[in-house]
DNA sequence: TATTCGTATTATGTTATACATATATTATGA
DNA sequence: TCATAATATATGTATAACATAATACGAATA
Protein backbone atom coordinates (compact mmCIF):
# COMPACT_ATOMS: atom_id res chain seq x y z
CA UNK A 1 0.00 0.00 0.00
CA UNK A 2 2.71 2.47 -0.86
CA UNK A 3 2.25 3.40 -4.47
CA UNK A 4 -1.29 4.53 -4.02
CA UNK A 5 -1.78 8.08 -2.90
CA UNK A 6 -4.81 9.37 -1.03
CA UNK A 7 -7.31 11.34 -3.07
CA UNK A 8 -7.95 14.93 -2.18
CA UNK A 9 -10.78 15.10 0.29
CA UNK A 10 -11.24 18.83 -0.20
CA UNK A 11 -14.79 20.00 -0.59
CA UNK A 12 -15.78 21.96 -3.65
CA UNK A 13 -15.95 25.10 -1.56
CA UNK A 14 -12.40 24.49 -0.39
CA UNK A 15 -11.20 24.20 -3.95
CA UNK A 16 -13.10 27.23 -5.11
CA UNK A 17 -11.70 29.29 -2.26
CA UNK A 18 -8.21 28.35 -3.35
CA UNK A 19 -9.00 29.20 -6.94
CA UNK A 20 -10.40 32.56 -5.97
CA UNK A 21 -7.28 33.46 -4.02
CA UNK A 22 -5.14 32.38 -6.95
CA UNK A 23 -7.28 34.49 -9.22
CA UNK A 24 -6.78 37.56 -7.07
CA UNK A 25 -3.05 37.07 -6.93
CA UNK A 26 -2.58 36.24 -10.58
CA UNK A 27 -4.51 39.30 -11.63
CA UNK A 28 -2.58 41.37 -9.13
CA UNK A 29 -5.75 42.67 -7.54
CA UNK A 30 -5.30 45.05 -4.64
CA UNK A 31 -7.59 46.35 -1.91
CA UNK A 32 -10.25 48.49 -3.51
CA UNK A 33 -10.36 46.60 -6.78
CA UNK A 34 -13.72 45.15 -7.83
CA UNK A 35 -14.00 41.42 -8.45
CA UNK A 36 -16.19 39.50 -10.91
CA UNK A 37 -19.81 38.71 -10.14
CA UNK A 38 -20.99 35.49 -8.60
CA UNK A 39 -22.58 34.37 -11.83
CA UNK A 40 -19.41 35.02 -13.80
CA UNK A 41 -17.48 32.79 -11.44
CA UNK A 42 -20.25 30.25 -11.71
CA UNK A 43 -19.72 30.04 -15.44
CA UNK A 44 -15.94 30.09 -15.53
CA UNK A 45 -15.50 27.62 -12.68
CA UNK A 46 -18.40 25.36 -13.60
CA UNK A 47 -19.90 24.97 -10.15
CA UNK A 48 -23.15 26.13 -8.69
CA UNK A 49 -23.69 29.63 -7.48
CA UNK A 50 -24.14 28.28 -3.96
CA UNK A 51 -20.59 27.00 -3.87
CA UNK A 52 -19.25 30.27 -5.23
CA UNK A 53 -21.25 32.13 -2.64
CA UNK A 54 -19.98 29.98 0.20
CA UNK A 55 -16.39 30.41 -0.87
CA UNK A 56 -16.86 34.16 -1.20
CA UNK A 57 -18.62 34.24 2.15
CA UNK A 58 -15.57 32.74 3.77
CA UNK A 59 -13.38 35.44 2.31
CA UNK A 60 -15.87 38.04 3.41
CA UNK A 61 -15.88 36.61 6.91
CA UNK A 62 -12.12 36.89 6.98
CA UNK A 63 -12.38 40.45 5.76
CA UNK A 64 -10.64 39.98 2.44
CA UNK A 65 -13.61 40.96 0.30
CA UNK A 66 -16.57 43.17 0.99
CA UNK A 67 -19.93 43.11 -0.70
CA UNK A 68 -21.38 46.42 -1.75
CA UNK A 69 -25.03 45.62 -1.35
CA UNK A 70 -26.49 44.59 -4.67
CA UNK A 71 -23.72 46.22 -6.63
CA UNK A 72 -20.86 43.80 -6.48
CA UNK A 73 -17.86 42.94 -4.39
CA UNK A 74 -14.47 44.54 -3.91
CA UNK A 75 -11.23 43.40 -2.36
CA UNK A 76 -10.56 45.00 1.01
CA UNK A 77 -7.72 45.41 3.43
CA UNK A 78 -8.48 42.60 5.85
CA UNK A 79 -9.13 43.77 9.35
CA UNK A 80 -7.41 40.86 10.96
CA UNK A 81 -8.66 41.59 14.35
CA UNK A 82 -12.17 42.90 14.41
CA UNK A 83 -13.74 39.87 12.83
CA UNK A 84 -12.71 37.85 15.80
CA UNK A 85 -14.21 40.17 18.34
CA UNK A 86 -17.58 38.64 17.47
CA UNK A 87 -16.62 35.19 18.59
CA UNK A 88 -13.93 35.86 21.13
CA UNK A 89 -16.22 35.69 24.09
CA UNK A 90 -14.59 34.26 27.20
CA UNK A 91 -17.68 32.25 27.97
CA UNK A 92 -17.26 30.42 24.67
CA UNK A 93 -13.56 29.75 25.02
CA UNK A 94 -11.68 26.98 26.74
CA UNK A 95 -9.24 27.76 29.51
CA UNK A 96 -6.22 26.99 27.36
CA UNK A 97 -6.79 29.75 24.89
CA UNK A 98 -7.85 32.18 27.59
CA UNK A 99 -4.52 31.63 29.26
CA UNK A 100 -2.70 32.13 25.97
CA UNK A 101 -4.50 35.36 25.28
CA UNK A 102 -3.89 36.70 28.74
CA UNK A 103 -0.20 35.98 28.32
CA UNK A 104 -0.25 37.64 24.94
CA UNK A 105 -1.42 40.83 26.54
CA UNK A 106 1.55 40.81 28.90
CA UNK A 107 3.89 40.19 25.99
CA UNK A 108 2.47 43.08 24.00
CA UNK A 109 2.72 45.54 26.84
CA UNK A 110 6.26 44.48 27.62
CA UNK A 111 7.24 44.72 23.98
CA UNK A 112 5.70 48.00 22.91
CA UNK A 113 8.12 50.28 24.76
CA UNK A 114 10.23 51.37 21.82
CA UNK A 115 7.20 52.41 19.80
CA UNK A 116 5.81 54.27 22.77
CA UNK A 117 8.89 56.40 23.11
CA UNK A 118 9.31 56.93 19.40
CA UNK A 119 5.77 58.08 18.80
CA UNK A 120 4.66 59.85 21.96
CA UNK A 121 3.50 63.43 21.51
CA UNK A 122 2.96 66.18 24.03
CA UNK A 123 -0.77 65.75 23.52
CA UNK A 124 -0.48 62.08 24.39
CA UNK A 125 1.43 62.87 27.57
CA UNK A 126 -1.15 65.45 28.58
CA UNK A 127 -3.96 62.99 28.09
CA UNK A 128 -2.10 60.33 30.00
CA UNK A 129 -1.54 62.76 32.85
CA UNK A 130 -5.23 63.50 32.89
CA UNK A 131 -6.07 59.83 33.10
CA UNK A 132 -3.68 59.33 35.99
CA UNK A 133 -4.91 62.37 37.90
CA UNK A 134 -8.49 61.31 37.36
CA UNK A 135 -7.68 57.89 38.67
CA UNK A 136 -5.89 59.19 41.75
CA UNK A 137 -8.76 61.49 42.63
CA UNK A 138 -11.39 58.85 42.37
CA UNK A 139 -9.89 56.21 44.54
CA UNK A 140 -7.85 58.33 46.82
CA UNK A 141 -8.52 55.88 49.58
CA UNK A 142 -6.78 53.20 47.55
CA UNK A 143 -9.25 50.75 48.94
CA UNK A 144 -10.46 49.43 45.64
CA UNK A 145 -9.10 48.73 42.25
CA UNK A 146 -10.98 50.21 39.34
CA UNK A 147 -11.05 48.18 36.17
CA UNK A 148 -12.20 51.18 34.14
CA UNK A 149 -9.19 53.22 35.14
CA UNK A 150 -6.90 50.32 34.45
CA UNK A 151 -8.28 50.02 30.96
CA UNK A 152 -8.16 53.75 30.36
CA UNK A 153 -4.49 53.92 31.21
CA UNK A 154 -3.28 50.83 29.40
CA UNK A 155 -5.56 51.53 26.44
CA UNK A 156 -3.94 54.93 26.08
CA UNK A 157 -0.55 53.24 25.88
CA UNK A 158 -1.71 51.10 22.98
CA UNK A 159 -3.02 54.21 21.34
CA UNK A 160 0.27 56.04 21.71
CA UNK A 161 2.09 53.16 20.07
CA UNK A 162 0.08 54.09 17.00
CA UNK A 163 -0.23 50.66 15.45
CA UNK A 164 -3.76 49.93 14.29
CA UNK A 165 -3.36 46.18 14.42
CA UNK A 166 -1.97 46.39 17.92
CA UNK A 167 -4.88 48.55 19.04
CA UNK A 168 -7.32 46.14 17.50
CA UNK A 169 -5.62 43.45 19.47
CA UNK A 170 -6.15 45.28 22.67
CA UNK A 171 -9.85 45.56 21.94
CA UNK A 172 -9.83 41.85 21.33
CA UNK A 173 -8.04 41.05 24.55
CA UNK A 174 -10.13 43.37 26.67
CA UNK A 175 -12.93 40.91 27.44
CA UNK A 176 -10.36 38.27 28.25
CA UNK A 177 -8.62 40.64 30.58
CA UNK A 178 -11.85 41.53 32.32
CA UNK A 179 -12.76 37.90 32.63
CA UNK A 180 -9.48 36.80 34.13
CA UNK A 181 -9.37 39.84 36.30
CA UNK A 182 -12.77 39.22 37.80
CA UNK A 183 -11.78 35.70 38.68
CA UNK A 184 -8.54 36.75 40.35
CA UNK A 185 -9.27 40.10 41.86
CA UNK A 186 -8.86 39.29 45.53
CA UNK A 187 -5.42 37.77 45.14
CA UNK A 188 -4.37 40.41 42.63
CA UNK A 189 -5.29 43.17 44.93
CA UNK A 190 -3.49 41.67 47.82
CA UNK A 191 -0.42 41.04 45.72
CA UNK A 192 -0.22 44.55 44.42
CA UNK A 193 0.47 45.88 47.83
CA UNK A 194 2.48 43.05 49.27
CA UNK A 195 5.05 43.37 46.52
CA UNK A 196 8.01 45.48 47.53
CA UNK A 197 8.40 47.19 44.17
CA UNK A 198 4.92 48.15 43.22
CA UNK A 199 4.89 50.50 40.26
CA UNK A 200 1.89 52.77 39.89
CA UNK A 201 0.43 54.25 36.75
CA UNK A 202 1.89 57.57 37.75
CA UNK A 203 5.34 56.07 37.96
CA UNK A 204 4.90 54.53 34.53
CA UNK A 205 3.79 57.85 33.16
CA UNK A 206 6.76 59.70 34.62
CA UNK A 207 8.93 57.04 33.10
CA UNK A 208 7.48 57.66 29.67
CA UNK A 209 8.18 61.34 30.09
CA UNK A 210 11.76 61.24 31.23
CA UNK A 211 12.91 57.65 30.89
CA UNK A 212 14.03 55.38 28.08
CA UNK A 213 12.47 52.30 26.52
CA UNK A 214 14.77 50.24 28.68
CA UNK A 215 13.80 51.83 31.96
CA UNK A 216 10.18 51.70 30.94
CA UNK A 217 10.30 47.97 30.25
CA UNK A 218 11.65 47.35 33.72
CA UNK A 219 9.00 49.55 35.26
CA UNK A 220 6.28 47.84 33.29
CA UNK A 221 7.61 44.45 34.34
CA UNK A 222 7.15 45.41 37.95
CA UNK A 223 3.78 46.92 37.29
CA UNK A 224 2.64 43.65 35.72
CA UNK A 225 4.31 41.54 38.36
CA UNK A 226 1.09 40.29 39.96
CA UNK A 227 -0.03 38.87 36.62
CA UNK A 228 3.29 37.27 35.82
CA UNK A 229 3.46 35.82 39.30
CA UNK A 230 0.00 34.32 39.18
CA UNK A 231 0.79 32.62 35.87
CA UNK A 232 4.18 31.29 36.89
CA UNK A 233 3.18 30.27 40.39
CA UNK A 234 0.31 28.21 39.05
CA UNK A 235 2.62 26.49 36.57
CA UNK A 236 5.02 25.57 39.33
CA UNK A 237 2.18 24.20 41.37
CA UNK A 238 1.03 22.07 38.48
CA UNK A 239 4.47 20.76 37.61
CA UNK A 240 5.23 19.81 41.20
CA UNK A 241 1.95 17.96 41.34
CA UNK A 242 2.62 16.04 38.17
CA UNK A 243 6.04 15.05 39.43
CA UNK A 244 4.49 13.24 42.35
CA UNK B 1 -37.09 63.59 12.88
CA UNK B 2 -36.22 62.51 16.37
CA UNK B 3 -38.86 60.07 17.42
CA UNK B 4 -38.28 57.84 14.48
CA UNK B 5 -35.49 55.36 14.86
CA UNK B 6 -33.56 53.84 11.97
CA UNK B 7 -34.58 50.31 11.10
CA UNK B 8 -32.00 47.66 11.51
CA UNK B 9 -30.19 47.21 8.25
CA UNK B 10 -28.80 43.87 9.31
CA UNK B 11 -29.20 41.03 6.87
CA UNK B 12 -30.97 37.88 7.93
CA UNK B 13 -27.65 36.10 8.08
CA UNK B 14 -26.34 38.78 10.43
CA UNK B 15 -29.28 38.31 12.75
CA UNK B 16 -29.06 34.54 12.67
CA UNK B 17 -25.35 34.68 13.48
CA UNK B 18 -26.14 36.79 16.53
CA UNK B 19 -28.87 34.41 17.56
CA UNK B 20 -26.60 31.42 17.22
CA UNK B 21 -23.97 33.00 19.41
CA UNK B 22 -26.61 33.85 22.00
CA UNK B 23 -27.83 30.29 21.83
CA UNK B 24 -24.37 28.92 22.50
CA UNK B 25 -23.86 31.24 25.45
CA UNK B 26 -27.28 30.77 26.98
CA UNK B 27 -26.94 27.03 26.84
CA UNK B 28 -23.45 27.30 28.24
CA UNK B 29 -22.00 25.25 25.40
CA UNK B 30 -18.27 24.70 25.50
CA UNK B 31 -15.71 23.51 22.98
CA UNK B 32 -16.44 19.90 22.12
CA UNK B 33 -20.18 20.13 22.64
CA UNK B 34 -22.37 19.21 19.66
CA UNK B 35 -24.82 21.77 18.35
CA UNK B 36 -28.25 21.26 16.75
CA UNK B 37 -28.63 20.36 13.07
CA UNK B 38 -29.18 22.84 10.30
CA UNK B 39 -32.74 21.72 9.83
CA UNK B 40 -33.50 22.07 13.52
CA UNK B 41 -32.32 25.67 13.45
CA UNK B 42 -34.34 26.16 10.29
CA UNK B 43 -37.47 25.22 12.13
CA UNK B 44 -36.86 27.01 15.39
CA UNK B 45 -35.64 30.23 13.78
CA UNK B 46 -38.09 30.23 10.92
CA UNK B 47 -35.67 31.06 8.12
CA UNK B 48 -34.43 29.06 5.20
CA UNK B 49 -31.69 26.52 5.47
CA UNK B 50 -29.62 28.74 3.17
CA UNK B 51 -29.46 31.47 5.78
CA UNK B 52 -28.70 29.05 8.58
CA UNK B 53 -25.93 27.55 6.52
CA UNK B 54 -24.39 30.93 5.72
CA UNK B 55 -24.45 31.98 9.36
CA UNK B 56 -22.90 28.68 10.44
CA UNK B 57 -20.36 28.95 7.67
CA UNK B 58 -19.21 32.26 9.07
CA UNK B 59 -18.69 30.73 12.48
CA UNK B 60 -16.88 27.83 10.88
CA UNK B 61 -14.65 30.23 9.00
CA UNK B 62 -13.80 31.92 12.26
CA UNK B 63 -13.07 28.55 13.78
CA UNK B 64 -15.78 28.59 16.42
CA UNK B 65 -17.61 25.57 15.08
CA UNK B 66 -16.43 22.61 13.10
CA UNK B 67 -18.46 20.39 10.86
CA UNK B 68 -17.95 16.69 11.21
CA UNK B 69 -18.72 15.75 7.64
CA UNK B 70 -22.23 14.45 7.40
CA UNK B 71 -22.48 13.81 11.11
CA UNK B 72 -23.15 17.19 12.61
CA UNK B 73 -21.30 20.14 14.02
CA UNK B 74 -19.51 20.77 17.28
CA UNK B 75 -18.22 23.85 19.03
CA UNK B 76 -14.45 24.15 18.83
CA UNK B 77 -11.70 26.09 20.46
CA UNK B 78 -11.22 28.80 17.86
CA UNK B 79 -7.78 28.81 16.35
CA UNK B 80 -7.63 32.54 16.10
CA UNK B 81 -4.60 32.55 13.99
CA UNK B 82 -4.50 29.80 11.48
CA UNK B 83 -7.64 30.82 9.68
CA UNK B 84 -5.95 34.00 8.67
CA UNK B 85 -2.90 32.35 7.25
CA UNK B 86 -4.97 31.55 4.19
CA UNK B 87 -5.59 35.14 3.30
CA UNK B 88 -2.63 36.87 4.87
CA UNK B 89 -0.62 36.95 1.71
CA UNK B 90 1.63 39.99 1.41
CA UNK B 91 0.71 40.34 -2.25
CA UNK B 92 -2.91 40.84 -1.26
CA UNK B 93 -2.27 43.31 1.53
CA UNK B 94 -1.80 47.04 1.50
CA UNK B 95 1.40 48.59 2.80
CA UNK B 96 -0.23 49.92 5.96
CA UNK B 97 -1.12 46.58 7.38
CA UNK B 98 2.18 45.05 6.31
CA UNK B 99 3.97 47.70 8.33
CA UNK B 100 1.73 47.02 11.33
CA UNK B 101 2.38 43.32 11.18
CA UNK B 102 6.09 43.77 10.86
CA UNK B 103 6.07 45.98 13.92
CA UNK B 104 3.99 43.45 15.76
CA UNK B 105 6.68 40.88 15.27
CA UNK B 106 9.23 43.17 16.90
CA UNK B 107 6.88 43.79 19.80
CA UNK B 108 6.32 40.09 20.35
CA UNK B 109 10.00 39.24 20.34
CA UNK B 110 10.80 42.07 22.71
CA UNK B 111 7.99 41.09 25.02
CA UNK B 112 8.38 37.33 25.27
CA UNK B 113 11.50 37.34 27.43
CA UNK B 114 9.92 36.45 30.75
CA UNK B 115 8.14 33.45 29.31
CA UNK B 116 11.31 32.33 27.60
CA UNK B 117 13.20 32.23 30.88
CA UNK B 118 10.37 30.72 32.82
CA UNK B 119 9.77 27.86 30.43
CA UNK B 120 13.13 27.01 28.90
CA UNK B 121 14.26 23.44 29.34
CA UNK B 122 17.65 21.82 28.88
CA UNK B 123 16.32 20.19 25.73
CA UNK B 124 15.33 23.59 24.36
CA UNK B 125 18.77 24.98 25.05
CA UNK B 126 20.43 22.02 23.36
CA UNK B 127 18.30 22.46 20.28
CA UNK B 128 18.96 26.16 20.21
CA UNK B 129 22.68 25.47 20.44
CA UNK B 130 22.40 23.10 17.52
CA UNK B 131 20.65 25.72 15.45
CA UNK B 132 23.31 28.30 16.19
CA UNK B 133 26.19 25.92 15.47
CA UNK B 134 24.55 24.84 12.26
CA UNK B 135 24.16 28.45 11.24
CA UNK B 136 27.75 29.34 12.05
CA UNK B 137 29.10 26.42 10.08
CA UNK B 138 27.11 27.15 6.99
CA UNK B 139 27.94 30.77 6.49
CA UNK B 140 31.30 30.87 8.12
CA UNK B 141 32.35 33.48 5.61
CA UNK B 142 29.64 35.77 6.98
CA UNK B 143 29.17 37.06 3.46
CA UNK B 144 25.48 36.34 3.22
CA UNK B 145 22.49 36.38 5.42
CA UNK B 146 20.38 33.24 5.47
CA UNK B 147 16.69 33.72 5.92
CA UNK B 148 16.23 30.05 6.75
CA UNK B 149 18.61 30.20 9.67
CA UNK B 150 17.04 33.40 10.89
CA UNK B 151 13.65 31.75 10.93
CA UNK B 152 14.97 28.62 12.57
CA UNK B 153 16.46 30.56 15.44
CA UNK B 154 13.64 32.97 16.08
CA UNK B 155 11.04 30.28 15.52
CA UNK B 156 12.66 28.22 18.23
CA UNK B 157 12.32 31.14 20.62
CA UNK B 158 8.58 31.28 19.99
CA UNK B 159 8.45 27.57 20.59
CA UNK B 160 10.27 27.84 23.91
CA UNK B 161 7.80 30.46 25.08
CA UNK B 162 5.26 27.66 24.87
CA UNK B 163 2.21 29.71 23.98
CA UNK B 164 0.23 28.18 21.15
CA UNK B 165 -1.40 31.42 20.12
CA UNK B 166 1.94 33.15 20.04
CA UNK B 167 3.41 30.40 17.89
CA UNK B 168 0.48 30.61 15.54
CA UNK B 169 1.18 34.28 15.29
CA UNK B 170 4.70 33.69 14.25
CA UNK B 171 3.53 31.42 11.46
CA UNK B 172 1.22 34.18 10.41
CA UNK B 173 3.92 36.81 10.43
CA UNK B 174 6.45 34.68 8.63
CA UNK B 175 5.41 35.57 5.08
CA UNK B 176 5.28 39.21 6.06
CA UNK B 177 8.75 38.97 7.49
CA UNK B 178 10.07 37.32 4.36
CA UNK B 179 8.41 39.89 2.19
CA UNK B 180 9.76 42.88 4.05
CA UNK B 181 13.11 41.26 4.37
CA UNK B 182 13.46 40.65 0.66
CA UNK B 183 12.69 44.28 -0.02
CA UNK B 184 15.21 45.58 2.47
CA UNK B 185 17.98 43.06 2.46
CA UNK B 186 20.81 45.20 1.13
CA UNK B 187 20.36 47.95 3.70
CA UNK B 188 19.70 45.48 6.47
CA UNK B 189 22.83 43.60 5.78
CA UNK B 190 24.90 46.71 5.69
CA UNK B 191 23.36 47.96 8.89
CA UNK B 192 23.97 44.80 10.78
CA UNK B 193 27.68 45.28 10.52
CA UNK B 194 27.91 49.03 10.71
CA UNK B 195 26.18 49.06 14.07
CA UNK B 196 28.59 49.12 16.94
CA UNK B 197 26.60 46.76 19.16
CA UNK B 198 25.63 43.95 16.86
CA UNK B 199 24.26 41.02 18.80
CA UNK B 200 24.48 37.61 17.16
CA UNK B 201 22.25 34.63 17.63
CA UNK B 202 24.99 33.04 19.67
CA UNK B 203 25.07 35.96 22.02
CA UNK B 204 21.32 35.79 22.42
CA UNK B 205 21.55 32.10 23.17
CA UNK B 206 24.25 32.58 25.79
CA UNK B 207 22.06 35.22 27.31
CA UNK B 208 19.16 32.83 27.58
CA UNK B 209 21.44 30.36 29.32
CA UNK B 210 23.02 32.59 31.92
CA UNK B 211 21.20 35.92 31.76
CA UNK B 212 17.91 37.28 33.00
CA UNK B 213 14.80 38.44 31.19
CA UNK B 214 16.06 41.97 31.60
CA UNK B 215 19.46 41.37 30.06
CA UNK B 216 17.85 39.36 27.32
CA UNK B 217 15.48 42.15 26.38
CA UNK B 218 18.38 44.53 26.00
CA UNK B 219 20.29 42.02 23.92
CA UNK B 220 17.26 41.37 21.73
CA UNK B 221 16.75 45.09 21.28
CA UNK B 222 20.23 45.38 19.84
CA UNK B 223 19.76 42.30 17.74
CA UNK B 224 16.64 43.82 16.22
CA UNK B 225 18.18 47.25 15.89
CA UNK B 226 18.33 47.23 12.10
CA UNK B 227 14.59 46.67 11.91
CA UNK B 228 13.74 49.28 14.50
CA UNK B 229 16.04 51.74 12.81
CA UNK B 230 14.58 51.22 9.38
CA UNK B 231 11.07 51.82 10.71
CA UNK B 232 11.92 54.88 12.77
CA UNK B 233 14.22 56.46 10.20
CA UNK B 234 11.56 56.23 7.56
CA UNK B 235 9.03 57.85 9.86
CA UNK B 236 11.38 60.73 10.57
CA UNK B 237 11.96 61.15 6.85
CA UNK B 238 8.23 61.30 6.23
CA UNK B 239 7.49 63.72 9.05
CA UNK B 240 10.25 66.10 8.03
CA UNK B 241 8.88 66.06 4.51
CA UNK B 242 5.36 66.80 5.64
CA UNK B 243 6.57 69.69 7.73
CA UNK B 244 7.93 71.45 4.65
C1' DT C 1 -18.50 -16.42 18.33
C1' DA C 2 -16.24 -13.07 15.96
C1' DT C 3 -15.33 -10.79 11.78
C1' DT C 4 -16.80 -8.85 7.53
C1' DC C 5 -19.89 -7.03 4.46
C1' DG C 6 -23.99 -4.74 3.02
C1' DT C 7 -27.61 -1.53 3.92
C1' DA C 8 -30.50 1.98 6.07
C1' DT C 9 -30.19 6.22 8.25
C1' DT C 10 -28.77 10.71 8.87
C1' DA C 11 -26.65 15.33 8.29
C1' DT C 12 -24.02 17.87 5.54
C1' DG C 13 -22.59 18.98 0.63
C1' DT C 14 -24.19 20.44 -3.88
C1' DT C 15 -27.27 21.78 -7.62
C1' DA C 16 -31.06 24.17 -9.64
C1' DT C 17 -34.57 27.54 -9.84
C1' DA C 18 -37.28 31.28 -8.54
C1' DC C 19 -38.18 35.44 -6.42
C1' DA C 20 -37.02 39.69 -3.34
C1' DT C 21 -34.69 43.87 -2.84
C1' DA C 22 -31.54 47.65 -3.18
C1' DT C 23 -28.78 50.38 -6.36
C1' DA C 24 -27.63 52.75 -10.59
C1' DT C 25 -29.00 53.86 -15.08
C1' DT C 26 -32.08 55.03 -18.43
C1' DA C 27 -36.47 56.41 -20.09
C1' DT C 28 -40.65 59.01 -19.50
C1' DG C 29 -43.81 62.80 -18.74
C1' DA C 30 -45.31 67.33 -17.11
C1' DT D 1 -35.45 71.02 -17.26
C1' DC D 2 -36.49 68.34 -13.51
C1' DA D 3 -38.70 65.03 -10.94
C1' DT D 4 -40.60 60.58 -11.42
C1' DA D 5 -40.99 56.02 -13.16
C1' DA D 6 -39.36 51.98 -15.43
C1' DT D 7 -35.52 48.84 -16.03
C1' DA D 8 -31.35 46.31 -15.52
C1' DT D 9 -28.28 44.30 -12.39
C1' DA D 10 -26.16 41.85 -8.45
C1' DT D 11 -26.71 40.22 -4.20
C1' DG D 12 -30.04 38.29 -0.66
C1' DT D 13 -33.39 34.68 0.51
C1' DA D 14 -36.37 30.60 -0.11
C1' DT D 15 -37.44 25.99 -1.58
C1' DA D 16 -36.86 21.47 -3.31
C1' DA D 17 -34.21 17.80 -4.69
C1' DC D 18 -30.39 14.82 -4.92
C1' DA D 19 -25.33 13.36 -3.73
C1' DT D 20 -22.21 11.74 -0.49
C1' DA D 21 -19.84 10.35 3.67
C1' DA D 22 -20.12 8.61 8.48
C1' DT D 23 -22.25 5.63 11.51
C1' DA D 24 -24.88 1.91 13.38
C1' DC D 25 -26.95 -2.23 12.93
C1' DG D 26 -28.05 -6.51 11.25
C1' DA D 27 -27.10 -10.48 8.11
C1' DA D 28 -23.86 -13.53 6.10
C1' DT D 29 -19.73 -16.08 6.56
C1' DA D 30 -15.87 -18.54 8.56
Amino acid sequence: MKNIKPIDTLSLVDKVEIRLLEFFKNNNLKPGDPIPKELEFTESLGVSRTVIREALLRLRTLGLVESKKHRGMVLTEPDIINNFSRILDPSLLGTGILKNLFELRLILEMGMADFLFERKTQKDLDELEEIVVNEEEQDSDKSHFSLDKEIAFHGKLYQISNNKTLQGFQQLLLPVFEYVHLKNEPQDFKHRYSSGRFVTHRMLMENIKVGTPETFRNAMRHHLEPHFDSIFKEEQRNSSISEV
Side-chain angles (χ1 to χ4, degrees), chain A:
Chain A
M1 291 305 287
K2 269 188 177 175
N3 295 333
I4 189 166
K5 61 180 177 185
I7 60 173
D8 61 337
T9 175
L10 290 178
S11 73
L12 267 183
V13 179
D14 289 327
K15 293 176 190 169
V16 170
E17 185 194 331
I18 294 171
R19 288 295 197 88
L20 290 178
L21 288 172
E22 283 173 4
F23 175 83
F24 298 152
K25 288 186 208 171
N26 293 340
N27 292 65
N28 199 30
L29 297 182
K30 293 291 173 186
D33 293 340
I35 65 177
K37 317 307 172 196
E38 292 177 352
L39 286 176
E40 292 173 341
F41 280 125
T42 304
E43 281 196 24
S44 50
L45 291 180
V47 295
S48 74
R49 188 181 153 213
T50 307
V51 171
I52 301 289
R53 268 185 76 77
E54 294 210 351
L56 283 170
L57 178 58
R58 285 192 191 171
L59 301 183
R60 262 188 293 168
T61 304
L62 294 173
L64 187 66
V65 306
E66 187 174 293
S67 83
K68 300 278 184 182
K69 296 195 175 193
H70 307 102
R71 284 311 292 167
M73 299 192 184
V74 296
L75 271 193
T76 58
E77 186 99 342
D79 183 344
I80 310 195
I81 303 301
N82 277 333
N83 305 71
F84 275 110
S85 59
R86 306 209 295 272
I87 65 159
L88 216 76
D89 187 302
S91 66
L92 290 175
L93 299 178
T95 54
I97 204 168
L98 281 175
K99 186 158 174 287
N100 280 352
L101 291 175
F102 188 73
E103 291 178 9
L104 205 50
R105 180 228 166 186
L106 300 182
I107 291 175
L108 293 179
E109 299 204 7
M110 287 300 299
M112 65 166 60
D114 285 280
F115 294 96
L116 229 43
F117 279 78
E118 184 69 22
R119 293 171 183 169
K120 67 183 177 185
T121 66
Q122 188 55 48
K123 184 161 170 288
D124 287 327
L125 297 179
D126 292 345
E127 287 176 25
L128 203 58
E129 173 96 42
E130 192 183 326
I131 289 170
V132 170
V133 168
N134 194 311
E135 174 182 4
E136 289 169 342
E137 282 174 358
Q138 178 157 330
D139 54 28
S140 54
D141 57 357
K142 306 249 190 250
S143 69
H144 85 296
F145 171 76
S146 162
L147 184 57
D148 286 352
K149 307 298 172 186
E150 181 78 5
I151 289 173
F153 182 84
H154 288 266
K156 181 64 190 172
L157 296 187
Y158 283 84
Q159 197 183 318
I160 295 175
S161 75
N162 198 29
N163 178 314
K164 281 258 164 76
T165 305
L166 186 62
Q167 288 174 53
F169 232 107
Q170 194 232 354
Q171 292 299 320
L172 198 70
L173 297 183
L174 223 45
V176 174
F177 179 45
E178 287 191 36
Y179 181 80
V180 176
H181 177 72
L182 287 174
K183 286 201 337 187
N184 297 342
E185 178 156 10
Q187 305 92 298
D188 273 11
F189 186 67
K190 190 177 163 204
H191 186 107
R192 298 188 100 76
Y193 292 93
S194 67
S195 163
R197 304 176 71 176
F198 180 47
V199 171
T200 63
H201 285 169
R202 171 165 291 282
M203 291 157 80
L204 282 176
M205 181 192 66
E206 297 297 340
N207 204 310
I208 295 178
K209 285 183 181 171
V210 301
T212 67
E214 185 177 337
T215 63
F216 178 80
R217 279 191 290 267
N218 293 332
M220 180 59 91
R221 178 61 179 81
H222 285 118
H223 178 69
L224 297 175
E225 187 178 291
H227 302 305
F228 277 106
D229 281 357
S230 75
I231 291 173
F232 294 154
K233 290 234 175 82
E234 174 159 332
E235 283 180 9
Q236 281 158 16
R237 231 183 351 262
N238 291 342
S239 71
S240 65
I241 289 173
S242 65
E243 280 169 13
V244 175

